[in-house]
Each structure stands twice: as C-alpha cells, then as structure tokens.
C-alpha cells in the first residue's frame, strides 16, 4: 500500500485547527520515531532522515534522501529529494518558515513515549523560523487508534490468553500436588506452546514468577536460574500475544496461590489490587458519560484513572508498594504511544479518545516476600469502555 493510504485528512484538519497548528511535521531517522512510520505506513530502508509535512490544507509534502525514495512510491503529494545537508536545509527552510508545526515532543520530557524528535531537529526547525508544539492529540487520534480488524484480533487474543492463563495455573497446581517439579521456566514454555496451538504470536516470552520473584514487576525467569514452586506460594503469570506481529496484542496478568487457603494478608492484598483495577474502569465509565455525549465534552485523562486506582491502594495502606503506573497505551506496540494511565511515573494529561486501548494493571509488591498484580485491557469505544477479557479474574486461583 502507498504511504498515507486511507488517511483521514479531514480529521487532520480539524485536529490541527483545535491545536492551533498549521501542519503536522513527521520526522524519522533510523526508527527513532516509530510514530512517523506508523502514521505514514512507509516501508523499506530508512537509514537517512526524512520529513513529511501534513498541512491543515493542501497536499502533503515529503523531503527524503535520494537513495531511499522507493519508500515513498505512491506518496499523495510532492516528494523533494536531497543528498547533501545543504540541500536538505534549502528544502526545509521555505517549507516550515513562519509555520506552527506539531511534532513528537513533550515539554520537559513529561511523556517519554511522546518525546521522539531529537532536540537538535527542533533547533534546526526553529532556526528556519518555525514554531514547534506537541503533537500529542494527533498521536492519540492517528497513531494509537485501533482499526476494526485490530479490535477483533485483540478480542480473540484476549479470550485465548485468559483460557491459556487459567490452564497454566491449574496445571501448575495439579503437578505440584502430584509431587512433580514445577519451575517458572516450565510454566513459561507451557504458555508459549499454548500460543502456537491458539495461532498467536508474541515478541517476548511470558513472565512466570513464584513467591518473592512476583515482587519484581519485570522479573524474567532464566534458564537454570529460575525458581521451583513450593506449597503455599503465590504465582504470577504475565502474558501477552496477538494474531500477528505488528498488530494489537492482548496483555494480561493472572494470579494464583499454591494451596487450599491463602494467608489473610495475601487475600487482602489481592482484594485491594482487584478493587483498584475495577476503580479505574468505574471512574472511566463515570467520566465518559452516557452514549451520545460528544467526545469533546469528555475531558478524561489517563492521569485521572491512575489516581482512582492508586487512591484505593493508598487507602489500604499499601501506597508505598505500588511502584509503577496503573496502565500503558496499547497500539501496534505493546507499550504504545497513546495516553497511559499514569500520574505517578509521569503526569500523562493527554485526553483519552474513542478508538484507543490500554492496560489497567495495578500491583502491590513486597520485596523479598511476594507481589500481586491484576491486569486487564480496555478498548474505549464511542459508547464507553469495553473490558477484555470479557470475564476478568475475580478471585485468586487456588491451585
């Protein structure tokens, strides 16, 4: 497909007008800005700088190196080739002079997933008389939004992951009861084999963590250095996969306990984490309002949802043990470029928009003892949030 096939230029004009910008300038160099590649849908080698101007009105304009023009075959506008840096500057200067340009920048690096354009590029554009503003609402609208096909693929993957997680945890408990050795690597491999049977792919093995390892949010079991499951231990399983690489994955975390009756502390922590998860979704439903309310009136941010979940955990006395954001954007990257549920690691005040998705995954971690996390995904439709999987985990699996 040629670059920008099916791109909604009318929506671009509206968003640029709301932003007070004349154009969206997409820049990339060796993949430093994955947002540019996603929006433009360019393919082929990208070892030289390119700039693509998407104006509020009129056709787009590309400036690309002569040895990499093939990526712009079929581009719906003028393509200006360059070779030498002086030639590049001579092309850019009149293209951007006097314009307010939206770029992938985040003031003070407030949201690193948005801060993709190097400072030197901003300086260069400003030296030509351009004014630079953040493209945040454009990124949410054009880079983070799911297609209908991606939504359907995500739904299928979400239900498959839930079944795989339940089966893996149940198997671990049964094997332990039979006196068999159950290791984190064994559970990890079992999940990967289930992905193949379900027709799913992943970009990284799942995280299986027992006991104190579950207190490390990004713990990864290593061959020969993983843990053997013992009775009365917590099991955490974080797994993600989708129908193909480069499309929207599903991402879930499930919790189990290897015993008939978990300690009161483990049960309490699980209940608090689950309530925090559900509080974020409930807050979104409340703020989003009933169907038919205009999206412009829905000033909902990921920071507000992070506050809702974190408030539950703080009220329970576990605030110091919730050490990461509540959730991350999901698009064609598992940790996507859209709004995150975060008012902790960053202050993500970007407005949520219909068509995007994200995880909701609060956790409580006691180093050296155990950790608990519950993760679901949310697709935000015009009518409100859709939670996947359709039946999230409600109680600890007693395995």
């Amino acid at each position: 497909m040629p670059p920008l096939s099916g791109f909604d230029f009318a929506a671009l004009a509206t968003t640029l007008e709301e932003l007070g910008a004349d154009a969206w300038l997409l820049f990339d160099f060796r993949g430093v800005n994955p947002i540019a590649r996603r929006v433009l849908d360019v393919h082929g080698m990208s070892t030289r700088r390119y700039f693509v101007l998407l104006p509020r009105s009129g056709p787009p304009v590309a400036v690309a190196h002569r040895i990499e023009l093939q990526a712009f075959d079929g581009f719906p506008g003028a393509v200006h080739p360059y070779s030498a840096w002086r030639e590049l500057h001579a092309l850019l200067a009149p293209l951007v002079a006097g314009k307010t340009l939206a770029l992938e920048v985040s003031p003070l690096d407030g949201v690193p997933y948005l801060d993709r354009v190097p400072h030197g590029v901003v300086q260069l554009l400003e030296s030509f008389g351009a004014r630079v503003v953040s493209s945040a609402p454009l990124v949410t609208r054009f880079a983070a939004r799911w297609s209908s096909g991606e939504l359907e693929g995500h739904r299928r993957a979400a239900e498959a992951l839930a079944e795989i997680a339940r089966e893996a945890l149940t198997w671990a408990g049964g094997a332990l009861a039979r006196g068999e050795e159950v290791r984190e690597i064994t559970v990890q491999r079992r999940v990967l084999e289930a992905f193949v049977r379900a027709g799913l792919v992943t970009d990284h093995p799942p995280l299986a963590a027992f006991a104190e390892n579950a207190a490390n949010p990004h713990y990864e079991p290593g061959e020969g250095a993983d843990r053997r499951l013992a009775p009365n231990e917590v099991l955490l399983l974080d797994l993600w996969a989708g129908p193909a690489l480069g499309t929207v994955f599903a991402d879930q975390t499930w919790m189990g306990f290897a015993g008939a009756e978990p300690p009161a502390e483990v049960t309490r922590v699980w209940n608090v984490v689950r309530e925090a998860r559900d509080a974020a979704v409930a807050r979104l439903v409340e703020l989003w309002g009933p169907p038919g309310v205009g999206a412009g009136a829905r000033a909902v941010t990921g920071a507000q949802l992070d506050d809702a979940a974190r408030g539950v955990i703080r009220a329970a006395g576990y605030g110091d043990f919730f050490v990461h954001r509540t959730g991350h954007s999901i698009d064609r990257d598992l940790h996507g470029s859209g709004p995150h549920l975060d008012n902790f690691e960053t202050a993500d005040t970007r407005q949520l928009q219909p068509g995007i998705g994200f995880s909701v995954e609060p956790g409580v971690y006691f180093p050296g003892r155990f950790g608990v996390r519950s993760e679901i995904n949310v697709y935000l439709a015009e009518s409100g949030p859709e939670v996947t999987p359709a039946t999230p985990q409600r109680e600890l699996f007693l395995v």
Side-chain angles (χ1 to χ4, degrees):
M1 296 285 287
L4 294 169
S5 296
F7 187 81
D8 191 343
F9 285 98
L12 170 71
T14 299
T15 309
L16 284 171
E17 184 175 4
E18 293 171 351
L19 189 56
D22 299 301
W24 188 4
L25 185 66
L26 291 161
F27 163 84
D28 193 27
F29 171 66
R30 299 178 64 87
V32 70
N33 183 9
I35 295 167
R37 181 170 286 248
R38 162 137 200 201
V39 172
L40 297 171
D41 200 21
V42 293
H43 303 282
M45 294 186 70
S46 180
T47 67
R48 305 297 195 273
R49 292 172 288 178
Y50 67 75
F51 295 80
V52 175
L53 188 81
L54 302 180
R56 192 189 304 182
S57 62
V61 180
V63 178
H65 199 279
R66 279 187 173 83
I67 69 172
E68 293 181 346
L69 294 178
Q70 183 177 353
F72 290 88
D73 285 350
F75 183 78
V79 179
H80 299 305
Y82 77 92
S83 295
W85 67 265
R86 290 181 178 86
E87 194 175 10
L88 171 63
H89 289 195
L91 289 168
L92 278 179
L95 190 64
V96 305
K99 291 185 175 67
T100 297
L101 304 175
L103 272 79
E104 283 68 69
V105 297
S106 181
L108 302 179
D109 193 41
V111 181
Y113 286 86
L114 179 61
D115 211 14
R116 303 290 193 172
V117 177
H119 180 60
V121 173
V122 174
Q123 288 180 311
L124 177 65
L125 297 170
E126 290 176 339
S127 76
F128 295 147
R131 173 177 173 261
V132 172
V133 298
S134 175
S135 63
L138 292 160
V139 172
T140 303
R141 172 63 180 80
F142 294 99
R145 184 170 292 201
W146 300 2
S147 70
S148 59
E150 288 170 335
L151 173 58
E152 286 306 313
H154 169 84
R155 286 171 175 155
R156 291 194 300 273
E159 297 309 316
L161 257 61
E163 182 178 348
I164 290 168
R166 290 189 291 260
E167 187 279 333
L169 292 173
T170 300
W171 170 84
L176 181 66
R178 294 189 297 271
E180 300 175 17
E181 183 180 62
V182 178
R183 305 195 70 88
E184 292 164 334
I185 286 289
T186 311
V187 174
Q188 185 184 72
R189 287 175 178 163
R190 191 173 184 88
V191 170
L192 289 172
E193 291 167 359
F195 285 173
V196 174
R197 292 193 298 272
L200 300 175
V201 299
T202 187
D203 58 358
H204 195 284
L207 309 183
F210 304 157
E212 68 269 15
N213 289 341
N216 178 353
H218 278 180
Y219 167 77
E220 296 186 61
E223 189 73 46
D226 61 330
R227 201 181 193 289
R228 179 175 180 173
L229 182 65
N232 301 312
E233 289 186 340
V234 164
L235 300 82
L236 182 152
L237 179 59
D238 187 351
L239 64 169
W240 55 93
L245 295 176
T247 188
V248 173
F249 279 16
D251 186 10
Q252 300 169 19
T253 303
W254 291 73
M255 297 298 307
F257 182 78
E261 185 175 351
E265 182 185 28
V266 172
T267 300
R268 171 173 162 74
V269 172
W270 162 256
N271 288 337
V272 168
V273 168
R274 182 196 61 210
E275 290 165 8
R277 178 197 75 190
D278 294 346
V281 177
R283 183 63 171 151
L284 176 56
V285 171
E286 174 191 357
L287 293 172
W288 196 251
V293 175
R298 297 161 169 165
V300 188
T301 70
Q304 290 172 295
L305 306 189
D306 181 81
D307 288 343
R310 199 168 302 277
V312 172
I313 292 176
R314 284 175 175 159
Y318 299 134
D320 290 343
F321 304 98
F322 182 14
V323 293
H324 57 71
R325 64 192 172 198
T326 294
H328 58 81
S329 165
I330 300 174
D331 51 42
R332 291 178 194 167
D333 293 317
L334 183 62
H335 288 203
S337 299
H340 302 292
L341 274 57
D342 192 3
N343 198 21
F344 179 70
E345 297 181 43
T346 68
D348 200 331
T349 57
R350 290 178 288 174
Q351 185 171 326
L352 305 182
Q353 297 181 18
I356 66 171
F358 44 84
S359 73
V360 182
E361 49 180 308
V364 171
Y365 311 93
F366 301 113
R369 299 180 60 216
F370 70 93
V372 173
R373 180 168 68 252
S374 181
E375 180 181 12
I376 58 175
N377 299 158
V378 171
Y379 171 73
L380 186 53
E382 285 281 0
S383 57
E386 173 188 336
V387 171
T388 61
T391 305
Q393 184 176 4
R394 300 302 307 170
E395 305 296 337
L396 276 174
F397 274 101
L398 302 181
V399 298

PDB file of all heavy atoms in Angstrom, residues 23-42:
ATOM      1  N   ALA A  23       0.491  22.642  10.575  1.00  0.00           N
ATOM      2  CA  ALA A  23       0.815  21.365   9.952  1.00  0.00           C
ATOM      3  C   ALA A  23       1.389  20.407  10.995  1.00  0.00           C
ATOM      4  O   ALA A  23       1.880  20.826  12.046  1.00  0.00           O
ATOM      5  CB  ALA A  23       1.826  21.559   8.817  1.00  0.00           C
ATOM      6  N   TRP A  24       1.314  19.139  10.660  1.00  0.00           N
ATOM      7  CA  TRP A  24       1.989  18.099  11.430  1.00  0.00           C
ATOM      8  C   TRP A  24       3.233  17.720  10.643  1.00  0.00           C
ATOM      9  O   TRP A  24       3.148  17.328   9.471  1.00  0.00           O
ATOM     10  CB  TRP A  24       1.062  16.898  11.577  1.00  0.00           C
ATOM     11  CG  TRP A  24       1.555  15.814  12.505  1.00  0.00           C
ATOM     12  CD1 TRP A  24       2.675  15.820  13.278  1.00  0.00           C
ATOM     13  CD2 TRP A  24       0.893  14.566  12.761  1.00  0.00           C
ATOM     14  NE1 TRP A  24       2.771  14.667  14.017  1.00  0.00           N
ATOM     15  CE2 TRP A  24       1.695  13.871  13.717  1.00  0.00           C
ATOM     16  CE3 TRP A  24      -0.273  13.975  12.293  1.00  0.00           C
ATOM     17  CZ2 TRP A  24       1.341  12.605  14.190  1.00  0.00           C
ATOM     18  CZ3 TRP A  24      -0.627  12.717  12.766  1.00  0.00           C
ATOM     19  CH2 TRP A  24       0.174  12.042  13.704  1.00  0.00           C
ATOM     20  N   LEU A  25       4.386  17.878  11.252  1.00  0.00           N
ATOM     21  CA  LEU A  25       5.641  17.531  10.598  1.00  0.00           C
ATOM     22  C   LEU A  25       6.147  16.230  11.211  1.00  0.00           C
ATOM     23  O   LEU A  25       6.499  16.184  12.394  1.00  0.00           O
ATOM     24  CB  LEU A  25       6.686  18.630  10.765  1.00  0.00           C
ATOM     25  CG  LEU A  25       7.988  18.381   9.994  1.00  0.00           C
ATOM     26  CD1 LEU A  25       7.746  18.427   8.487  1.00  0.00           C
ATOM     27  CD2 LEU A  25       9.060  19.403  10.388  1.00  0.00           C
ATOM     28  N   LEU A  26       6.172  15.183  10.401  1.00  0.00           N
ATOM     29  CA  LEU A  26       6.643  13.873  10.851  1.00  0.00           C
ATOM     30  C   LEU A  26       8.097  13.686  10.444  1.00  0.00           C
ATOM     31  O   LEU A  26       8.445  13.831   9.258  1.00  0.00           O
ATOM     32  CB  LEU A  26       5.770  12.773  10.255  1.00  0.00           C
ATOM     33  CG  LEU A  26       4.343  12.730  10.817  1.00  0.00           C
ATOM     34  CD1 LEU A  26       3.416  11.970   9.887  1.00  0.00           C
ATOM     35  CD2 LEU A  26       4.338  12.112  12.210  1.00  0.00           C
ATOM     36  N   PHE A  27       8.934  13.394  11.411  1.00  0.00           N
ATOM     37  CA  PHE A  27      10.372  13.209  11.194  1.00  0.00           C
ATOM     38  C   PHE A  27      10.764  11.820  11.666  1.00  0.00           C
ATOM     39  O   PHE A  27      10.273  11.325  12.684  1.00  0.00           O
ATOM     40  CB  PHE A  27      11.168  14.247  11.989  1.00  0.00           C
ATOM     41  CG  PHE A  27      12.627  13.883  12.148  1.00  0.00           C
ATOM     42  CD1 PHE A  27      13.548  14.189  11.153  1.00  0.00           C
ATOM     43  CD2 PHE A  27      13.082  13.216  13.288  1.00  0.00           C
ATOM     44  CE1 PHE A  27      14.894  13.834  11.287  1.00  0.00           C
ATOM     45  CE2 PHE A  27      14.415  12.866  13.425  1.00  0.00           C
ATOM     46  CZ  PHE A  27      15.320  13.185  12.432  1.00  0.00           C
ATOM     47  N   ASP A  28      11.693  11.207  10.920  1.00  0.00           N
ATOM     48  CA  ASP A  28      12.270   9.953  11.401  1.00  0.00           C
ATOM     49  C   ASP A  28      13.694   9.812  10.890  1.00  0.00           C
ATOM     50  O   ASP A  28      14.057  10.364   9.841  1.00  0.00           O
ATOM     51  CB  ASP A  28      11.442   8.746  10.959  1.00  0.00           C
ATOM     52  CG  ASP A  28      11.843   7.479  11.714  1.00  0.00           C
ATOM     53  OD1 ASP A  28      12.327   7.595  12.857  1.00  0.00           O
ATOM     54  OD2 ASP A  28      11.668   6.376  11.165  1.00  0.00           O
ATOM     55  N   PHE A  29      14.469   9.066  11.673  1.00  0.00           N
ATOM     56  CA  PHE A  29      15.842   8.720  11.305  1.00  0.00           C
ATOM     57  C   PHE A  29      16.170   7.394  11.984  1.00  0.00           C
ATOM     58  O   PHE A  29      16.198   7.314  13.217  1.00  0.00           O
ATOM     59  CB  PHE A  29      16.828   9.799  11.767  1.00  0.00           C
ATOM     60  CG  PHE A  29      18.278   9.401  11.618  1.00  0.00           C
ATOM     61  CD1 PHE A  29      18.831   9.198  10.362  1.00  0.00           C
ATOM     62  CD2 PHE A  29      19.079   9.219  12.731  1.00  0.00           C
ATOM     63  CE1 PHE A  29      20.155   8.825  10.213  1.00  0.00           C
ATOM     64  CE2 PHE A  29      20.413   8.851  12.600  1.00  0.00           C
ATOM     65  CZ  PHE A  29      20.957   8.652  11.336  1.00  0.00           C
ATOM     66  N   ARG A  30      16.308   6.345  11.185  1.00  0.00           N
ATOM     67  CA  ARG A  30      16.666   5.026  11.703  1.00  0.00           C
ATOM     68  C   ARG A  30      15.690   4.540  12.779  1.00  0.00           C
ATOM     69  O   ARG A  30      16.086   3.911  13.759  1.00  0.00           O
ATOM     70  CB  ARG A  30      18.097   5.020  12.226  1.00  0.00           C
ATOM     71  CG  ARG A  30      19.143   5.345  11.158  1.00  0.00           C
ATOM     72  CD  ARG A  30      20.540   5.366  11.728  1.00  0.00           C
ATOM     73  NE  ARG A  30      20.937   4.043  12.220  1.00  0.00           N
ATOM     74  CZ  ARG A  30      21.502   3.097  11.473  1.00  0.00           C
ATOM     75  NH1 ARG A  30      21.731   3.333  10.183  1.00  0.00           N
ATOM     76  NH2 ARG A  30      21.828   1.938  11.991  1.00  0.00           N
ATOM     77  N   GLY A  31      14.416   4.854  12.625  1.00  0.00           N
ATOM     78  CA  GLY A  31      13.396   4.345  13.537  1.00  0.00           C
ATOM     79  C   GLY A  31      13.306   5.053  14.860  1.00  0.00           C
ATOM     80  O   GLY A  31      12.642   4.569  15.773  1.00  0.00           O
ATOM     81  N   VAL A  32      13.955   6.227  14.999  1.00  0.00           N
ATOM     82  CA  VAL A  32      13.906   6.933  16.272  1.00  0.00           C
ATOM     83  C   VAL A  32      12.480   7.387  16.607  1.00  0.00           C
ATOM     84  O   VAL A  32      12.137   7.567  17.773  1.00  0.00           O
ATOM     85  CB  VAL A  32      14.880   8.135  16.262  1.00  0.00           C
ATOM     86  CG1 VAL A  32      14.394   9.247  15.342  1.00  0.00           C
ATOM     87  CG2 VAL A  32      15.088   8.681  17.680  1.00  0.00           C
ATOM     88  N   ASN A  33      11.654   7.544  15.587  1.00  0.00           N
ATOM     89  CA  ASN A  33      10.265   7.980  15.795  1.00  0.00           C
ATOM     90  C   ASN A  33       9.306   6.960  15.180  1.00  0.00           C
ATOM     91  O   ASN A  33       8.872   7.110  14.038  1.00  0.00           O
ATOM     92  CB  ASN A  33      10.036   9.362  15.182  1.00  0.00           C
ATOM     93  CG  ASN A  33       8.627   9.884  15.446  1.00  0.00           C
ATOM     94  OD1 ASN A  33       7.866   9.301  16.224  1.00  0.00           O
ATOM     95  ND2 ASN A  33       8.262  10.968  14.802  1.00  0.00           N
ATOM     96  N   PRO A  34       8.950   5.912  15.911  1.00  0.00           N
ATOM     97  CA  PRO A  34       8.045   4.894  15.359  1.00  0.00           C
ATOM     98  C   PRO A  34       6.667   5.441  15.028  1.00  0.00           C
ATOM     99  O   PRO A  34       5.937   4.850  14.232  1.00  0.00           O
ATOM    100  CB  PRO A  34       7.973   3.838  16.468  1.00  0.00           C
ATOM    101  CG  PRO A  34       8.346   4.568  17.720  1.00  0.00           C
ATOM    102  CD  PRO A  34       9.331   5.602  17.311  1.00  0.00           C
ATOM    103  N   ILE A  35       6.297   6.568  15.635  1.00  0.00           N
ATOM    104  CA  ILE A  35       5.001   7.177  15.323  1.00  0.00           C
ATOM    105  C   ILE A  35       4.943   7.588  13.869  1.00  0.00           C
ATOM    106  O   ILE A  35       3.926   7.401  13.187  1.00  0.00           O
ATOM    107  CB  ILE A  35       4.758   8.380  16.257  1.00  0.00           C
ATOM    108  CG1 ILE A  35       4.638   7.908  17.707  1.00  0.00           C
ATOM    109  CG2 ILE A  35       3.514   9.153  15.840  1.00  0.00           C
ATOM    110  CD1 ILE A  35       4.704   9.020  18.728  1.00  0.00           C
ATOM    111  N   ALA A  36       6.032   8.141  13.345  1.00  0.00           N
ATOM    112  CA  ALA A  36       6.062   8.565  11.953  1.00  0.00           C
ATOM    113  C   ALA A  36       5.828   7.392  11.024  1.00  0.00           C
ATOM    114  O   ALA A  36       5.031   7.465  10.071  1.00  0.00           O
ATOM    115  CB  ALA A  36       7.399   9.232  11.642  1.00  0.00           C
ATOM    116  N   ARG A  37       6.500   6.300  11.275  1.00  0.00           N
ATOM    117  CA  ARG A  37       6.354   5.130  10.403  1.00  0.00           C
ATOM    118  C   ARG A  37       4.941   4.575  10.481  1.00  0.00           C
ATOM    119  O   ARG A  37       4.378   4.158   9.473  1.00  0.00           O
ATOM    120  CB  ARG A  37       7.376   4.062  10.799  1.00  0.00           C
ATOM    121  CG  ARG A  37       7.310   2.807   9.921  1.00  0.00           C
ATOM    122  CD  ARG A  37       8.507   1.905  10.205  1.00  0.00           C
ATOM    123  NE  ARG A  37       9.713   2.455   9.630  1.00  0.00           N
ATOM    124  CZ  ARG A  37      10.367   1.899   8.605  1.00  0.00           C
ATOM    125  NH1 ARG A  37       9.915   0.818   8.023  1.00  0.00           N
ATOM    126  NH2 ARG A  37      11.473   2.439   8.147  1.00  0.00           N
ATOM    127  N   ARG A  38       4.362   4.583  11.672  1.00  0.00           N
ATOM    128  CA  ARG A  38       3.004   4.050  11.804  1.00  0.00           C
ATOM    129  C   ARG A  38       1.998   4.914  11.050  1.00  0.00           C
ATOM    130  O   ARG A  38       1.140   4.415  10.342  1.00  0.00           O
ATOM    131  CB  ARG A  38       2.606   3.958  13.278  1.00  0.00           C
ATOM    132  CG  ARG A  38       1.099   3.839  13.467  1.00  0.00           C
ATOM    133  CD  ARG A  38       0.687   2.833  14.505  1.00  0.00           C
ATOM    134  NE  ARG A  38      -0.694   2.441  14.304  1.00  0.00           N
ATOM    135  CZ  ARG A  38      -1.453   1.902  15.232  1.00  0.00           C
ATOM    136  NH1 ARG A  38      -0.968   1.670  16.427  1.00  0.00           N
ATOM    137  NH2 ARG A  38      -2.702   1.549  14.977  1.00  0.00           N
ATOM    138  N   VAL A  39       2.093   6.233  11.227  1.00  0.00           N
ATOM    139  CA  VAL A  39       1.125   7.136  10.591  1.00  0.00           C
ATOM    140  C   VAL A  39       1.273   7.117   9.083  1.00  0.00           C
ATOM    141  O   VAL A  39       0.283   7.042   8.339  1.00  0.00           O
ATOM    142  CB  VAL A  39       1.286   8.569  11.139  1.00  0.00           C
ATOM    143  CG1 VAL A  39       0.433   9.552  10.346  1.00  0.00           C
ATOM    144  CG2 VAL A  39       0.905   8.610  12.617  1.00  0.00           C
ATOM    145  N   LEU A  40       2.516   7.179   8.619  1.00  0.00           N
ATOM    146  CA  LEU A  40       2.748   7.260   7.169  1.00  0.00           C
ATOM    147  C   LEU A  40       2.611   5.906   6.486  1.00  0.00           C
ATOM    148  O   LEU A  40       2.270   5.832   5.306  1.00  0.00           O
ATOM    149  CB  LEU A  40       4.154   7.808   6.903  1.00  0.00           C
ATOM    150  CG  LEU A  40       4.424   9.232   7.400  1.00  0.00           C
ATOM    151  CD1 LEU A  40       5.902   9.554   7.278  1.00  0.00           C
ATOM    152  CD2 LEU A  40       3.585  10.235   6.628  1.00  0.00           C
ATOM    153  N   ASP A  41       2.889   4.843   7.234  1.00  0.00           N
ATOM    154  CA  ASP A  41       2.884   3.477   6.692  1.00  0.00           C
ATOM    155  C   ASP A  41       3.894   3.357   5.562  1.00  0.00           C
ATOM    156  O   ASP A  41       3.594   2.813   4.488  1.00  0.00           O
ATOM    157  CB  ASP A  41       1.490   3.079   6.220  1.00  0.00           C
ATOM    158  CG  ASP A  41       1.336   1.556   6.122  1.00  0.00           C
ATOM    159  OD1 ASP A  41       2.118   0.842   6.763  1.00  0.00           O
ATOM    160  OD2 ASP A  41       0.448   1.102   5.370  1.00  0.00           O
ATOM    161  N   VAL A  42       5.109   3.870   5.810  1.00  0.00           N
ATOM    162  CA  VAL A  42       6.189   3.728   4.840  1.00  0.00           C
ATOM    163  C   VAL A  42       6.947   2.432   5.122  1.00  0.00           C
ATOM    164  O   VAL A  42       7.030   1.986   6.267  1.00  0.00           O
ATOM    165  CB  VAL A  42       7.158   4.927   4.888  1.00  0.00           C
ATOM    166  CG1 VAL A  42       6.471   6.182   4.417  1.00  0.00           C
ATOM    167  CG2 VAL A  42       7.746   5.122   6.284  1.00  0.00           C
TER     168      VAL A  42
END
